[in-house]
Amino acid sequence: MKFHQLPVGSRFELDGRIYVKVTPLIAQHEADGRQQLVRRSASVRLAQGAAALRAQPRPLPPAEVRERLDAFYARCLQCIDELAADAQPGRGAEVRRRLAEARDELVAGLGLETTQSPHSRQR
């Protein structure tokens, strides 16, 4: 069977090692969690007793969650700045303030560090 034929979440064997397909092109080594790109045309074999089991997503460390959240937040601010150029004066600052509040609530709700990102109070 070819790698592209496996559903995401399938356990399979490649080169004598067991992996889990985590995206259409990425497999995660079952033992050490390392990920690697797999050619769509690579020949693979379902792992013994595996019938397209859904992989449990690996929990992200809080620092990585925070990093991804901050990157998303920075992109939101860029979008607001682009839209604010065509909006009423002061509207961009108000939207940025509301977005900062929503971000702070999310950070607190996720139990991440409560310190604000460098972007959170930019106006």
Side-chain angles (χ1 to χ4, degrees):
M1 145 179 290
K2 301 296 183 186
F3 182 70
H4 79 277
Q5 295 172 307
L6 291 173
V8 171
S10 297
R11 290 179 66 242
F12 66 95
E13 184 177 334
L14 175 68
D15 299 329
R17 296 186 179 126
I18 302 296
Y19 292 88
V20 175
K21 183 173 182 175
V22 293
T23 75
L25 296 174
I26 303 290
Q28 182 171 321
H29 189 262
E30 193 172 62
D32 63 21
R34 285 188 292 183
Q35 294 184 347
Q36 75 176 51
L37 182 67
V38 179
R39 292 183 332 271
R40 287 177 37 88
S41 61
S43 293
V44 298
R45 189 175 68 181
L46 279 177
Q48 188 173 25
L53 301 174
R54 283 278 171 203
Q56 294 297 317
R58 85 178 157 89
L60 295 175
E64 189 173 343
V65 172
R66 182 61 179 266
E67 188 177 296
R68 291 180 183 200
L69 174 64
D70 287 344
F72 173 77
Y73 183 73
R75 289 190 60 193
C76 289
L77 293 176
Q78 290 172 346
C79 292
I80 289 170
D81 290 343
E82 290 173 17
L83 292 172
D86 297 328
Q88 310 168 359
R91 184 72 176 138
E94 170 63 16
V95 172
R96 288 173 74 91
R97 183 190 63 74
R98 289 175 40 208
L99 180 61
E101 288 174 1
R103 179 202 168 278
D104 292 345
E105 288 172 13
L106 177 60
V107 167
L110 292 173
L112 299 174
E113 276 183 40
T114 57
T115 59
Q116 296 171 343
S117 83
H119 305 290
S120 106
R121 292 297 175 210
Q122 290 179 357
R123 293 189 205 287

